Every structure is written in structure tokens, then in C-alpha cells.
């Protein structure tokens, strides 16, 4: 019992400590709290003799991802996003097409090297359109083994890290060789990259209360329709849909602290899923996973650039929408500073939130479609 309590304390407190540590060390952009949480969980499982309880880990894995999705989606403003510049919406649509096509082609290429390749493709499509929470949500929805989810996360972190270095170094010059310059006034002065809205305890209680209601309604409807709750995918998709619906209400969309709370739950999730990882599996399958994830990412970026060239999307908009889909809102400010165009920060954040909103549905649909043909 004491070991379980200590394990729970690690899951709840360690994310806060790691987030503070990475901020003070200035490593958030290359050694993020998410990566640190994965490392901690894996280290506890493989490098210590601490008696981890898999039931506790799995309870936190299932619970945190279901609660995090609504909290991340409440601040989505779909109607506001549709009022953005047409080039931003078009560029993000082209990114979605690029990712879906690349994931499908890569699945065919690696169909004999990796089992369950259709599920892996759906998960990668989800993360390259939305973000880390979508990969994990789609993996759970599809019933993928936790060790496989961990390996794919690790592979994506390796590939995504290299692309982020490219984005923040030579990418503006390189993409500028193929795409036209941004047409419009650039904001280059100092500003806050992401909105830092204060929040009250009452707002957090409201957000969590609403989240619990949406989860309960989703579970109840699925049980009523199917007679069981074994299909986690249906619950996750319904929760996602209801959360997007809730975001249309301004009072809900403006609740403070919802996105930050969702991010914190994802850090807890990262430690919990790391606690279920077996190093032997990671070492035996990791190389092929990295090659697969890298192929999907490289093809997606290549096709996205080609399509943007055809539709005459400018370089800055292409880079921002690529960042929004592949990395999500937190990295928009950093990349906007590199391209010296902070006028795209708002549209980039909005696009990243829309990506999180739609990625679960696209990932599950793609995996189901590929399963019929591969």
C-alpha cells in the first residue's frame, strides 16, 4: 500500500518539479518536460528495483488522457479560426492532406517490417496534425499495447527533434528557395508568444467539473448504445466531439487555466506510460520505428512544400502551419521569432488548437481504412 501511495505521489508531483527544472535550466526547447517525464518513467521501470504497480500506472494512463483532451480543447475557437487569412486555412488543409498521404504510403512501405502498421500510421497522422496528446489518445482508442505507444513516442521525439532544429536554423532560408515571400506587414517587436491568462480556483473547478460531466455523458451514451465500455475509442472520440462543441460557448472558451491543466495531465500521462515500458522491447523495435516515423515526417514535409508551391502559399505561412500541426501551440512563438514574423503567432496558435481538435478523428479513421487494405 505504501509503495502504491509513493508511486502516486511521483506521478502527481514529479511533473511540476521537472517543469520548473527545465525552465530554470533553459532546456525546454530541446529537452522538454514531456521528454523528461518519459525518461523518468522508463528509468523507474528499468533502472531501479522500485516495485511499480501496473494497475496504478494503467489507471493514470487511461484517466489522464481522457481528462486532458477536453481541457486542451476548451480554448479552441473554430469560428474564429475560419475567419483567419485564407492562406493559413489552405496551408493547414494542405498539411492534413500531406500527412494522411505520407502516413498511408509509409504504411505500405513498412507493412512487412512492423506489425499493426495501420494503427501506427493512424497514431503518427494524429501527432503530425495535432500533437502528442493525439498520438496517445488514438493509440489508446485503437487498443495499441502501451509498450508500442512508448516506442513510437520515443521514435517521434527523435525525428521531431531533428526537424525542430532544422525549423529553427536553416529552414527559413531553405524553404525560401521554393516558396514566395510573406505578403503583409510583419510584427517583429517583442511580445508574449502565448497568452498568459490568469485563472482562479473557481475557473479550474468549473473546467474540471464540466470535464467530468462530459466524460460521464460519453461513457453513459456508449454503454447505452453498445452495452459495454470495452471500446475506449468510441468514448475518446465522443469526448473529443463534445469538448469541441463546448468550446463554441464563449464562457467555456474563456475559462482560464484549462490548456495549462491539460498539459500538466499529459506530463503525468508521460510518466505513467514510461512506467509500463520494457527497455528490451524498445531496443529490439526502436530502430525500425524511428525509420518509419522519419519516413512519414519527411514525406509529409516534402509534399506540404510541393503543395504550398502549387497553391502559392508563402514561406512564413507554410512554416507556421507546419509547426502548428507537428508541434502544436507551445512552439509557435519560438518559430515565429526565428522567421521574424510574429504577426502569425495568433493564427499559428489557433491552427494548433484546431489540429488537436480534429486529429483524433483523422487518426482513428485512417487506421481503420488502412486496416482494410494492408
Amino acid at each position: 500500500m505504501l509503495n502504491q501511495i509513493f508511486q502516486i505521489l511521483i506521478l502527481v508531483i514529479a511533473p511540476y518539479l521537472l517543469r520548473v527544472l527545465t525552465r530554470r535550466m533553459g532546456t525546454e526547447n530541446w529537452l522538454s518536460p514531456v521528454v523528461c517525464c518519459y525518461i523518468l518513467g522508463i528509468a523507474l521501470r528499468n533502472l531501479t528495483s522500485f516495485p511499480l504497480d501496473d494497475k496504478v500506472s494503467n489507471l493514470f494512463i487511461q484517466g489522464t488522457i481522457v481528462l486532458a483532451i477536453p481541457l486542451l480543447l476548451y480554448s479552441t475557437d473554430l469560428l474564429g479560426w475560419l475567419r483567419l487569412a485564407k492562406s493559413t486555412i489552405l496551408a493547414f488543409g494542405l498539411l492534413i492532406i500531406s500527412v494522411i498521404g505520407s502516413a498511408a504510403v509509409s504504411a505500405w512501405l513498412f507493412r512487412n517490417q512492423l506489425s499493426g502498421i495501420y494503427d501506427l500510421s493512424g497514431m503518427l497522422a494524429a501527432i503530425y496534425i495535432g500533437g502528442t496528446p493525439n498520438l496517445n489518445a488514438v493509440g489508446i482508442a485503437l487498443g495499441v499495447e502501451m509498450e508500442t505507444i512508448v516506442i513510437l513516442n520515443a521514435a517521434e521525439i527523435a525525428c521531431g527533434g531533428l526537424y525542430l532544429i532544422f525549423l529553427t536554423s536553416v529552414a527559413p532560408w531553405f524553404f525560401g528557395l521554393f516558396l514566395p515571400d510573406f505578403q503583409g506587414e510583419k510584427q517583429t517587436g517583442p511580445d508574449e508568444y502565448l497568452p498568459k491568462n490568469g485563472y482562479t480556483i473557481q475557473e479550474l473547478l468549473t473546467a474540471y467539473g464540466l470535464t467530468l460531466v462530459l466524460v460521464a455523458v460519453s461513457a453513459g451514451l456508449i454503454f447505452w448504445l453498445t452495452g459495454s465500455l470495452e471500446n475506449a475509442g468510441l468514448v475518446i472520440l465522443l469526448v473529443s466531439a463534445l469538448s469541441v462543441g463546448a468550446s463554441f460557448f464563449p464562457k467555456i472558451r474563456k475559462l482560464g487555466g484549462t490548456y495549462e491543466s491539460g498539459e500538466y495531465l499529459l506530463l503525468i500521462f508521460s510518466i505513467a506510460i514510461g512506467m509500463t515500458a520494457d527497455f528490451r522491447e524498445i531496443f529490439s523495435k526502436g530502430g525500425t520505428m524511428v525509420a518509419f516515423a522519419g519516413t512519414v515526417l519527411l514525406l509529409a514535409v516534402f509534399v506540404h512544400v510541393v503543395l504550398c508551391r502549387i497553391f502559392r502559399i508563402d514561406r512564413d505561412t507554410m512554416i507556421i502551419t507546419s509547426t502548428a500541426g507537428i508541434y502544436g501551440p507551445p512552439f509557435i512563438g519560438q518559430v515565429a521569432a526565428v522567421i521574424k514574423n510574429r504577426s502569425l503567432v495568433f493564427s499559428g496558435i489557433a491552427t494548433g488548437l484546431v489540429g488537436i481538435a480534429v486529429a483524433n478523428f483523422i487518426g482513428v479513421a485512417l487506421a481503420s481504412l488502412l486496416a482494410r487494405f494492408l
Side-chain angles (χ1 to χ4, degrees), residues 87-259:
S87 60
T88 300
I89 299 173
L90 176 59
F92 188 62
L94 296 176
L95 174 68
I96 292 175
I97 293 171
S98 303
V99 170
I100 292 174
S102 301
V105 170
S106 300
W108 183 82
L109 292 174
F110 284 83
R111 66 191 184 282
N112 296 323
Q113 282 78 35
L114 293 169
S115 60
I117 190 66
Y118 37 85
D119 290 338
L120 300 178
S121 295
M123 292 162 67
L124 284 180
I127 194 171
Y128 292 145
I129 293 172
T132 301
N134 298 102
L135 180 150
N136 295 305
V138 169
I140 293 174
L142 296 172
V144 177
E145 293 182 358
M146 290 303 164
E147 286 185 351
T148 301
I149 295 177
V150 173
I151 297 170
L152 190 59
N153 267 295
E156 193 286 318
I157 287 172
C159 298
L162 292 175
Y163 182 53
L164 182 62
I165 294 173
F166 173 72
L167 276 178
T168 54
S169 55
V170 300
W173 167 81
F174 180 75
F175 291 139
L177 298 176
F178 311 100
L179 301 174
D181 291 335
F182 178 78
Q183 299 298 317
E185 184 179 352
K186 294 187 178 184
Q187 176 189 342
T188 57
D191 66 352
E192 289 295 330
Y193 296 151
L194 290 170
K196 302 271 194 303
N197 296 324
Y199 55 88
T200 65
I201 296 297
Q202 183 179 357
E203 286 181 305
L204 287 181
L205 291 177
T206 301
Y208 275 96
L210 176 60
T211 298
L212 292 175
V213 169
L214 295 183
V215 171
V217 169
S218 301
L221 284 174
I222 297 302
F223 184 79
W224 178 60
L225 293 172
T226 66
S228 71
L229 292 175
E230 294 181 0
N231 194 330
L234 292 177
V235 176
I236 288 176
L237 291 179
L238 187 53
V239 168
S240 300
L242 291 177
S243 302
V244 172
S247 72
F248 281 90
F249 295 91
K251 289 185 178 180
I252 295 175
R253 193 167 59 247
K254 294 178 181 179
L255 284 173
T258 55
Y259 190 86

Side-chain angles (χ1 to χ4, degrees), residues 24-35:
R24 291 185 176 180
M25 294 176 61
T27 62
E28 287 180 292
N29 292 332
W30 60 274
L31 186 62
S32 68
V34 172
V35 176

Side-chain angles (χ1 to χ4, degrees), residues 300-328:
V301 173
F302 173 76
V303 175
H304 189 211
V305 173
V306 171
L307 292 177
C308 285
R309 169 78 178 186
I310 293 172
F311 287 90
R312 296 199 57 78
I313 302 295
D314 65 88
R315 180 203 68 174
D316 291 4
T317 300
M318 175 267 155
I319 290 176
I320 286 295
T321 51
S322 181
T323 303
I326 295 173
Y327 300 105

